[in-house]
Amino acid sequence: MQFYKIFWSGMICLFLLNGCAFFNSEEDVITLSPLPEVKNQFTLHPLWSTSVGRGIGEYYSRLRPVGNDKSLFVADRNGWVKSLNLDTGKVIWQTNLSQKTGFISIKNDSAMLSGGLTVDGDLVYVGSEHAILFALNASDGSVVWKTQVAGEVLSRPIISSYLILIHTGNGMIQAINKTNGSIYWTLNLDVPTLSLRGESDPAISSSGTAVFGGENGRVSAVTIDKGQLIWQQVISEVRGSTEIERIKDVDMRPIIVDGIVYAAAYNGNFVALQLNSGEILWKCNLGSVNDLTIHAGYIYLVDQNDQLIALTSDTGIPVWKQSDLLHRGLTAPVIYNGYLVVGDSEGYLHWLNAEDGRFVTQQEVNRSGFLGAPIEISGKLIIQARNGTVYSFVQKYMTD
């Protein structure tokens, strides 16, 4: 599996619009850190596993499961969308969107789903690289509506009241009526010549503000009802001389907590901003493309070198750093039963003590590896591998 042995440089190549031209020598290849030795304190008890098409393969895609109290919704890049029983993994319904694009002539039979899944009430939303947003009936998978949007839907659709917000690959933010798919407003942002492949999911505040990152190294806030720009704040500082070192995308989804926005740039800073003004409250020199997690007053993130870091949310002061998983292509972290959980590109799940970053348990799950972060639903840990296999686990303590 040579792809995974040079995962970090390979992943950058997938992100970049201009391919791999910058990786010209053996010095540019960064190998994965060896697995740390971990004495497992518990094991993962598999409840069920099932396959969803071909998954995402070696593509960079943010597709990952979403669910509610009863059902789990999953998809593969080619166009299969399935509803699964959350307790058993059995298929409730399935539909193939590859034949339902409708707006454009497609040379292959792939729907190229890419924008993540979102469930809201009776509807499930998913976007594609063909610049189509689908709304499916959550009870039977039928297509309720589909809309041609401004570009590749690389972000997850985010719901705010009667609108869906999406961030397209050409730098457009669009608000779409969630009932009928009509375009409500469009905001055009600057896109540099070279950027990472991926777009920031918008974050929604209760005050009617949407906040998102952009390829221009800025965090922007807009009014949800009209798409009017409220403020922009630059958080990426170009420091290097090479093209890759000068990439300044903010691709992670900002988090809003108590009127404070937390966001990070790839080559830049991790910052806390005032929601109403964009003023920087504090910043530290950390870069990331992964979404972060905030729990019990602490921020957990994976930086661009796959170092796991915990910081205080009020000051940004690091509490601990875990560097034994460098360049293993980690997923975004999630809190499950008080532990911090990440997947990696070789298909391992790593569990860490959230208070000090020590390893608690490590388990190989799927050799195709993980890109999408695990999620927690109704006490279950759900994760989808690159090859499309979806797993449901619960924690099981080991006995002497």
Side-chain angles (χ1 to χ4, degrees):
M1 300 293 288
Q2 182 66 18
F3 173 82
Y4 297 110
K5 295 302 180 184
I6 57 172
F7 178 86
W8 187 247
S9 60
M11 185 169 67
I12 292 293
C13 291
L14 290 173
F15 287 160
L16 295 176
L17 299 179
N18 290 347
C20 300
F22 302 106
F23 295 95
N24 298 320
S25 70
E26 294 182 0
E27 294 180 357
D28 294 321
V29 177
I30 301 175
T31 57
L32 281 67
S33 294
L35 279 172
E37 294 184 5
V38 178
K39 183 179 180 181
N40 287 350
Q41 297 182 19
F42 53 80
T43 60
L44 304 181
H45 175 64
L47 295 177
W48 53 261
S49 65
T50 190
S51 178
V52 184
R54 298 179 180 178
I56 62 171
E58 295 184 356
Y59 292 94
Y60 180 80
S61 173
R62 292 187 174 182
L63 285 176
R64 66 171 183 167
V66 296
N68 50 34
D69 293 339
K70 297 180 180 179
S71 301
L72 189 71
F73 302 95
V74 295
D76 82 336
R77 185 174 184 271
N78 286 340
W80 280 106
V81 182
K82 297 184 180 183
S83 172
L84 307 176
N85 182 288
L86 185 59
D87 294 323
T88 66
K90 291 183 178 180
V91 176
I92 300 171
W93 56 256
Q94 59 185 2
T95 186
N96 189 349
L97 298 179
S98 63
Q99 305 301 324
K100 301 176 181 179
T101 48
F103 294 104
I104 51 181
S105 175
I106 299 174
K107 295 181 179 179
N108 57 53
D109 61 355
S110 173
M112 298 174 68
L113 300 182
S114 58
L117 290 159
T118 297
V119 59
D120 180 63
D122 296 332
L123 295 177
V124 177
Y125 304 95
V126 62
S128 82
E129 294 177 35
H130 292 305
I132 298 172
L133 181 67
F134 294 92
L136 309 179
N137 189 312
S139 63
D140 61 14
S142 59
V143 177
V144 177
W145 55 257
K146 55 191 175 185
T147 294
Q148 188 86 56
V149 294
E152 296 176 293
V153 185
L154 299 182
S155 74
R156 185 167 64 95
I158 301 298
I159 308 298
S160 174
S161 185
Y162 61 95
L163 295 176
I164 309 165
L165 299 185
I166 61 168
H167 193 173
T168 64
N170 53 1
M172 301 285 192
I173 304 294
Q174 289 193 296
I176 298 161
N177 186 300
K178 72 177 186 179
T179 302
N180 58 28
S182 61
I183 306 296
Y184 199 69
W185 55 257
T186 299
L187 178 65
N188 189 1
L189 301 176
D190 294 332
V191 178
T193 303
L194 187 67
S195 65
L196 303 179
R197 181 163 180 77
E199 298 294 347
S200 167
D201 297 346
I204 304 298
S205 77
S206 58
S207 62
T209 300
V211 181
F212 50 88
E215 291 95 333
N216 52 16
R218 298 172 181 171
V219 177
S220 302
V222 303
T223 59
I224 295 174
D225 58 347
K226 296 183 179 180
Q228 294 177 333
L229 190 66
I230 302 172
W231 54 258
Q232 288 187 317
Q233 180 63 257
V234 176
I235 68 169
S236 183
E237 301 174 8
V238 176
R239 301 183 179 92
S241 58
T242 69
E243 292 292 338
I244 290 178
E245 289 174 327
R246 297 173 68 85
I247 292 173
K248 54 186 180 179
D249 297 48
V250 183
D251 275 353
M252 53 81 68
R253 182 186 184 185
I255 288 185
I256 303 172
V257 179
D258 296 332
I260 299 176
V261 178
Y262 300 93
Y266 173 69
N267 284 318
N269 295 311
F270 180 65
V271 300
L273 309 170
Q274 284 280 9
L275 174 62
N276 59 3
S277 66
E279 177 187 358
I280 295 177
L281 301 176
W282 54 257
K283 65 180 180 179
C284 54
N285 184 16
L286 286 175
S288 180
V289 295
N290 278 315
D291 289 346
L292 56 91
T293 292
I294 296 183
H295 177 73
Y298 295 95
I299 302 166
Y300 302 96
L301 61 85
V302 173
D303 74 5
Q304 69 265 55
N305 294 314
D306 290 325
Q307 182 176 223
L308 277 155
I309 303 171
L311 311 95
T312 58
S313 61
D314 56 349
T315 62
I317 296 174
V319 178
W320 55 257
K321 297 181 180 181
Q322 176 54 261
S323 303
D324 287 347
L325 299 173
L326 294 181
H327 311 301
R328 292 192 63 86
L330 301 184
T331 69
V334 65
I335 293 289
Y336 178 73
N337 286 352
Y339 296 100
L340 195 68
V341 186
V342 295
D344 73 19
S345 64
E346 289 196 324
Y348 286 86
L349 284 177
H350 306 273
W351 300 57
L352 295 87
N353 186 312
E355 295 182 356
D356 55 24
R358 291 182 299 170
F359 290 103
V360 176
T361 287
Q362 172 190 105
Q363 186 165 324
E364 184 179 19
V365 177
N366 187 299
R367 293 186 178 181
S368 72
F370 300 114
L371 181 61
I375 62 172
E376 188 274 332
I377 301 179
S378 299
K380 303 171 181 65
L381 185 74
I382 310 287
I383 192 165
Q384 182 172 345
R386 279 184 169 272
N387 67 1
T389 305
V390 181
Y391 298 89
S392 175
F393 294 105
V394 291
Q395 181 180 332
K396 183 177 181 180
Y397 283 94
M398 301 177 69
T399 58
D400 295 334

